Amino acid sequence: MAGAGHGGPPAPVPAPRPRPGDLAPLLPADPSGIAGYRLLGRLGAGGMGVVYLGRTDAGELAAVKVTLADRAERADFRARFRREVEAARRVVSPWAVPVLGADPDAPEPWLATAFVPGPSLGEAIAAHGPLPGRSLRVLGGAVARALAAVHAAGLVHRDVKPGNVLLAVDGPRLIDFGIARAADPGGETALTGTDMVVGTPGFLAPEQAEARTGDIGPASDVFAFGCLLAHAATGRPPFGTGAVDALMYRTVHDEPDLVGVPAGLLPLLRDCLAKDPAARPTAEQLAARLVVDTPGTAADWLPDPVVRTIAERSARMLALPDIDATTAGTPAPPPATGRRRFLLLAAGAGVVAAGGAGWWALRGRDDRTDGKGAPPPKARRWTIGVQADLSGPGKEVGQAQERGVRLAVEAFNSRADKPFTLDVKVSDDRGDKTRALAAARALTADPDVLGIIGPSHDYTGQEALPAYDEALLPVVTVSAGLNLLVNPVQKQGRSVLQACPIHAFNGMHIAYHAQAVHRPSRPGLLQERTDDPYSWQFVLGAKFGFQQGGILPHPRVIPSGAKQLERVVGEMVDAGIDAYVHAGLLPSAVRAAKALDALGFTGPRYAGQHVLGDRFLRDAGRSAEGWTVGAPAADPTGRKEAAAFLAAHRARYGAAAPVWYAGEAYDVTLFLAQQVAKEYGKAGRRPDRTALAPVLRKAVHQGVMGGYSFDENGNLKGVGTFLHRVEDGRYRTLGAAPAAPTKKAGG
């Protein structure tokens, strides 16, 4: 959890906009390219920066937002820009604008998003009036699904308004995550003051209008969604227009003006516009209520005048000539001959709007030509990939690992002697096995990705193995302990390095600790079959560890879903167990803790890595006291070697300690980066990424969290399990688990 801070950034200053659809020419001082994007003109400019229309060598258009130099020097502004990038990357939906690239940590931070020359909903209504019934349902269904994706990523958009919805022939797109924030109201107060109203008056929820920070959440976006849909249906905002304070007052106290809304939409809009956030439906529920055939690639969901507007803007984009490189302060040379290649499926790829709360910019780097009017060759990137669950059930661990990777890349890039500069590319698999292979291929298919940190979960890692084995680039995981991720017999995981013990070893080392400290004679082992591969591997290792000390454990198994858990735990206590080892997931561990507490059991209690985290402390309450959890994650706050890492984490993410696995991800990222640098130094050129895994398996690295070395198959050598005991409602780290059993039980 991030610590609370004070104050926040100034309210965003909207950038002045050109006439809708116009593209302003580049100024002599503008760069000709930024980060591989050739710039064609200006989409918007203002006090915070410039947004350019850019084009890749393949003809893909993008809106490239760049900050002003004086803004980039401010830590709060840079943090806000970084937050926008991270928020936009976490939202995966066909109805939300995709991020094509970004570097919030560059000297001149930039963000590129897909571009489509469609009007905003606000522009369309102002020019052509309210939308008809089917248009409203398609609009509402798509925007509701986009918001559902925003909320699933743990975010609140906070500025859902007509200017932030773009219209394309295949459906609308939600844009601009400049003021999006975590759904946890206590998580980002350092960036948003508790007394600051953020958003657009007239499209704010009552809790936003009154700056009730603790009440702002996904339901606030639902209220704004209701305002947006009412505006689209009637051509006017539901709480009128006028002075800001009057708008705020009416939003909080008055009923919305819904005259002219189609009868079929009235119940839904009244539900969305309830004053009480708890009375509003969720975005997913809205999407279900707005089921309608999607537009596909046809434009018949939009009125003809809006379709003509899209066609006219598309034609203007197609007419753009090639733009040659310019140098600041000098005229641009004549355009080169030939037409650019431009692939535009009538606004189907994604959207972006010039103007609004998040449009900032600055001068980009000066890209020079070879003197003959031809653009310079596109520079190769040196990129570290991250595959993790960033928005699913394991997002806490996945997001912690992404933070560790980014901090390590910052540390590497800050070196004066660095031979190259690293970038980070993230692929969110949401913890979903069905998405894992595609998430992996999004990284392995990028020739600039030299290695991958992740995946963060066992089964997404297993499903991604075909992509890893095909690409043969190094993949280093710090939390996926499934033994099948490295399988030399079946020739799987040939480039995977597990910087964590497999689950069987985790259970074995926990059993060694129990013998060394508590000396049980009849330990109980409970296997939960909800996550059977994890549970049985953990039990197998624990059983072996006890048997090494001459101890015969008392094993029991419960069905999937932890049915009959309390009864089975009671039977184990009645059978005389003097220690309890839980081989299962967090929910069943909470129930087991409460059952043992109710039974008065005072013996030692153990669990594996799936239980580690604050949720166990919170959900089990006082019943968590005395439990020892073993996991491949150490506590950096107790390590003097991690002081610089902790300071960097605090500076970027807040005062709270890093979440588990952030430090380990930091270590292995620097391990990978340093080995790539060594190979570069040997050959004087970019190393072949398919040859890096064997090099890493032979290398030894001392990180801030400990040492790392691997066998020839990519398995971590040594223990790798750290023990954390719950005392007074928090974890106290005991250190690494023993590497071997005691010689004699009880001795």
Side-chain angles (χ1 to χ4, degrees):
M1 295 291 295
H6 301 282
V13 178
R17 300 189 57 176
R19 188 180 62 189
D22 281 357
L23 182 68
L26 293 174
L27 301 179
D30 284 330
S32 64
I34 295 174
Y37 292 94
R38 298 284 290 161
L39 302 185
L40 305 177
R42 287 175 161 228
L43 291 168
M48 292 191 178
V50 180
V51 183
Y52 299 100
L53 178 64
R55 173 176 55 82
T56 67
D57 292 341
E60 182 180 29
L61 289 183
V64 186
K65 174 192 303 186
V66 198
T67 61
L68 289 170
D70 59 339
R71 298 283 181 178
E73 292 175 357
R74 290 173 42 186
D76 59 344
F77 186 89
R78 186 179 287 273
R80 178 170 168 175
F81 191 94
R82 183 183 298 115
R83 185 179 62 176
E84 176 181 3
V85 171
E86 293 175 351
R89 279 173 166 162
R90 284 161 61 180
V91 178
V92 180
S93 169
W95 313 117
V97 59
V99 174
L100 302 180
D103 189 355
D105 301 312
E108 304 96 359
W110 61 272
L111 167 66
T113 53
F115 173 82
V116 166
S120 72
L121 175 62
E123 291 172 2
I125 292 171
H128 307 296
L131 296 180
R134 182 171 184 268
S135 298
L136 291 171
R137 298 189 70 82
V138 172
L139 171 75
V143 175
R145 286 169 176 81
L147 285 177
V150 171
H151 300 161
L155 299 169
V156 182
H157 189 284
R158 299 200 302 165
D159 200 20
V160 180
K161 63 181 180 181
N164 279 342
V165 174
L166 267 285
L167 304 180
V169 294
D170 65 340
R173 301 295 195 281
L174 179 66
I175 67 168
D176 203 340
F177 296 89
I179 60 173
R181 55 167 270 181
D184 173 12
E188 295 185 1
T189 54
L191 291 176
T192 305
T194 56
D195 59 348
M196 190 168 72
V197 176
V198 180
T200 302
F203 297 89
L204 291 176
E207 58 271 20
Q208 288 177 284
E210 294 186 315
R212 304 197 313 262
T213 306
D215 293 333
I216 297 173
S220 306
D221 285 345
V222 169
F223 189 97
F225 168 89
C227 294
L228 178 142
L229 203 56
H231 179 69
T234 66
R236 61 184 184 277
F239 296 100
T241 59
V244 170
D245 55 351
L247 279 175
M248 299 284 204
Y249 182 88
R250 291 197 292 267
T251 299
V252 174
H253 299 287
D254 292 356
E255 291 303 312
D257 174 10
L258 300 179
V259 175
V261 172
L265 286 178
L266 276 173
L268 179 141
L269 288 183
R270 290 193 180 108
D271 290 346
C272 291
L273 297 174
K275 303 299 185 185
D276 181 4
R280 300 169 201 154
T282 66
E284 287 186 350
Q285 291 169 338
L286 289 175
R289 292 170 64 176
L290 286 163
V291 173
V292 67
D293 50 317
T294 55
T297 58
D300 59 357
W301 80 278
L302 287 170
D304 288 343
V306 180
V307 176
R308 283 196 296 271
T309 299
I310 296 174
E312 290 168 359
R313 295 191 184 184
S314 298
R316 287 202 292 271
M317 294 301 105
L318 285 166
L320 286 172
D322 281 333
I323 304 296
D324 288 317
T326 60
T327 301
T330 61
T337 59
R339 290 289 295 265
R340 63 179 175 81
R341 296 186 307 162
F342 173 47
L343 306 177
L344 175 65
L345 182 58
V351 296
V352 73
W359 292 90
W360 315 316
L362 115 112
R363 260 192 73 212
R365 297 183 182 87
D366 179 29
D367 295 329
R368 299 179 183 273
T369 68
D370 58 5
K372 300 178 181 180
K378 185 177 180 180
R380 293 291 302 276
R381 292 176 177 271
W382 301 67
T383 304
I384 302 293
V386 180
Q387 181 181 349
D389 176 2
L390 301 176
S391 58
K395 63 183 179 183
E396 183 180 43
V397 169
Q399 292 171 10
Q401 292 182 26
E402 181 191 2
R403 289 182 173 188
V405 172
R406 292 191 181 279
L407 290 174
V409 166
E410 288 180 0
F412 182 87
N413 289 343
S414 68
R415 289 172 38 186
D417 63 341
K418 62 182 181 295
F420 46 80
T421 299
L422 285 172
D423 289 331
V424 178
K425 182 173 183 176
V426 178
S427 188
D428 180 9
D429 59 33
R430 302 188 194 176
D432 184 347
K433 293 192 295 184
T434 64
R435 296 176 54 88
L437 185 58
R441 283 187 169 145
L443 297 174
T444 60
D446 185 341
D448 287 340
V449 173
L450 297 174
I452 296 171
I453 308 302
S456 56
H457 194 274
D458 288 336
Y459 307 118
T460 52
Q462 189 176 18
E463 294 298 321
L465 275 179
Y468 300 156
D469 287 336
E470 178 182 308
L472 284 180
L473 77 163
V475 178
V476 190
T477 180
V478 298
S479 57
L482 194 66
N483 64 340
L484 296 177
L485 293 181
V486 176
N487 191 334
V489 176
Q490 297 184 12
K491 296 183 179 180
Q492 291 180 331
R494 290 173 292 171
S495 61
V496 175
L497 289 85
Q498 284 182 290
C500 59
I502 62 174
H503 297 313
F505 286 176
N506 184 238
M508 179 180 70
H509 292 299
I510 287 175
Y512 290 166
H513 176 269
Q515 295 171 68
V517 177
H518 300 289
R519 303 174 181 175
S521 60
R522 190 170 173 77
L525 294 179
L526 184 70
Q527 177 183 346
E528 176 199 346
R529 284 187 171 158
T530 302
D531 189 346
D532 203 37
Y534 163 76
S535 295
W536 76 257
Q537 288 180 31
F538 184 92
V539 163
L540 186 67
K543 184 177 180 182
F544 176 83
F546 283 122
Q547 290 176 341
Q548 287 289 98
I551 299 172
L552 183 64
H554 178 70
R556 293 300 305 272
V557 178
I558 56 174
S560 175
K563 298 175 182 177
Q564 305 172 357
L565 182 146
E566 286 79 6
R567 180 177 63 80
V568 172
V569 169
E571 292 174 355
M572 295 173 74
V573 173
D574 290 342
I577 64 170
D578 55 358
Y580 176 84
V581 180
H582 188 84
L585 303 183
L586 174 65
S588 61
V590 171
R591 289 172 58 188
K594 292 181 177 179
L596 289 168
D597 196 25
L599 291 166
F601 182 79
T602 59
R605 288 138 289 170
Y606 290 89
Q609 72 179 79
H610 285 323
V611 176
L612 182 65
D614 289 343
R615 186 178 163 191
F616 178 63
L617 305 180
R618 182 174 64 252
D619 292 357
R622 66 180 182 86
S623 298
E625 288 294 311
W627 276 68
T628 300
V629 183
D635 180 4
T637 61
R639 297 181 60 85
K640 62 181 181 180
E641 301 90 342
F645 162 70
L646 288 171
H649 192 283
R650 187 179 304 111
R652 177 156 177 183
Y653 297 112
V659 176
W660 307 106
Y661 300 102
E664 285 74 18
Y666 177 88
D667 274 354
V668 298
T669 302
L670 282 177
F671 173 46
L672 173 59
Q674 290 167 9
Q675 292 305 313
V676 170
K678 287 182 180 179
E679 294 303 301
Y680 172 77
K682 291 177 183 178
R685 57 181 174 81
R686 187 188 189 95
D688 178 2
R689 66 181 190 170
T690 65
L692 287 174
V695 173
L696 291 171
R697 289 177 174 180
K698 294 177 182 178
V700 176
H701 179 70
Q702 185 62 42
V704 301
M705 306 301 292
Y708 301 83
S709 62
F710 304 87
D711 65 20
E712 61 182 4
N713 295 319
N715 296 298
L716 181 71
K717 292 181 180 179
V719 177
T721 293
F722 297 87
L723 301 167
H724 311 279
R725 180 180 170 87
V726 180
E727 296 180 358
D728 297 326
R730 62 184 61 193
Y731 293 104
R732 180 175 71 86
T733 297
L734 305 178
T742 55
K743 294 183 179 179
K744 182 179 179 181

